[in-house]
């Protein structure tokens, strides 16, 4: 079993150079794995964000 590095939606948005709402949409679409912490907080898998950054137009310039 591999350990995942969990980050906040805001951190993921900063890495991708997008709005946090865009990251939430990617989670809902299943492109980024996520989990809820309590009722309001979401954590996402950093490796999924990095894959998107490498392979898509979401890369910040």
């Amino acid at each position: 079993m591999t350990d995942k590095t969990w980050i906040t939606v805001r951190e993921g948005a900063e890495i991708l150079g997008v709005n946090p709402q865009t990251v939430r949409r990617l989670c809902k679409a299943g492109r980024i794995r996520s989990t809820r912490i309590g009722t309001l907080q979401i954590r996402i898998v950093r490796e999924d964000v990095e894959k998107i950054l490498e392979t898509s137009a979401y890369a910040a310039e």
Side-chain angles (χ1 to χ4, degrees):
M1 185 165 106
T2 60
D3 291 327
K4 297 179 189 84
T5 302
W6 297 92
I7 60 174
T8 65
V9 169
R10 184 177 303 255
E11 291 170 328
E14 289 175 7
I15 291 168
L16 292 174
V18 298
N19 190 291
Q21 187 60 37
T22 302
V23 175
R24 289 185 193 93
R25 285 188 203 115
L26 291 168
C27 292
K28 189 173 182 179
R31 297 206 40 213
I32 297 176
R33 291 173 285 175
S34 64
T35 190
R36 285 204 172 268
I37 308 293
T39 56
L40 298 177
Q41 296 182 20
I42 299 172
R43 295 293 182 264
I44 60 175
V45 178
R46 182 181 184 96
E47 290 78 14
D48 291 354
V49 173
E50 290 171 352
K51 282 182 190 175
I52 289 173
L53 186 62
E54 292 171 1
T55 61
S56 111
Y58 285 107
E61 303 207 10

